[in-house]
Amino acid sequence: MRLLALDTCTEACSATVMVDDEVHSQYQIAPRRHSVIILPMIESLLAESGVSLKQLDAIAFGCGPGAFTGVRLGASVTQGIALGADLPVIPISTL
């Protein structure tokens, strides 16, 4: 399975790409900077893992609870990427 997962619900911004049993991940404590770092973080992880968006099976994201703006950012980035790459979306509770 090839999966992109991201979470922007808290002060930490994180993204992970899983390709079969190999996991590439980035995590950064960055209050109020998620919108600046999440897309470069995703791009970097995809390059590091050697897959493109079109090669993924799905995109997962932390859907809350969490900071209102962070939840909206995670959902919108996920939906935008998923729509462009024709991928299913998997919402994951942060509880």
Side-chain angles (χ1 to χ4, degrees):
M1 171 167 269
R2 295 174 176 179
L3 182 68
L4 167 64
L6 55 101
D7 187 20
T8 58
C9 291
T10 65
E11 289 187 352
C13 182
S14 63
T16 299
V17 173
M18 182 183 76
V19 178
D20 300 322
D21 292 333
E22 191 176 318
V23 176
H24 300 270
S25 188
Q26 290 186 16
Y27 170 89
Q28 188 175 350
I29 302 292
R32 296 176 303 281
R33 292 198 58 242
H34 295 37
S35 63
V36 174
I37 64 174
I38 191 64
L39 291 175
M41 188 180 282
I42 292 168
E43 187 176 30
S44 169
L45 285 170
L46 289 171
E48 184 180 319
S49 63
V51 297
S52 69
L53 284 173
K54 295 275 186 183
Q55 294 174 310
L56 295 173
D57 295 314
I59 303 175
F61 75 102
C63 65
F68 179 71
T69 303
V71 173
R72 282 189 341 186
L73 176 66
S76 61
V77 167
T78 300
Q79 288 179 335
I81 293 171
L83 181 63
D86 194 30
L87 295 170
V89 171
I90 305 167
I92 307 291
S93 172
T94 55
L95 289 177

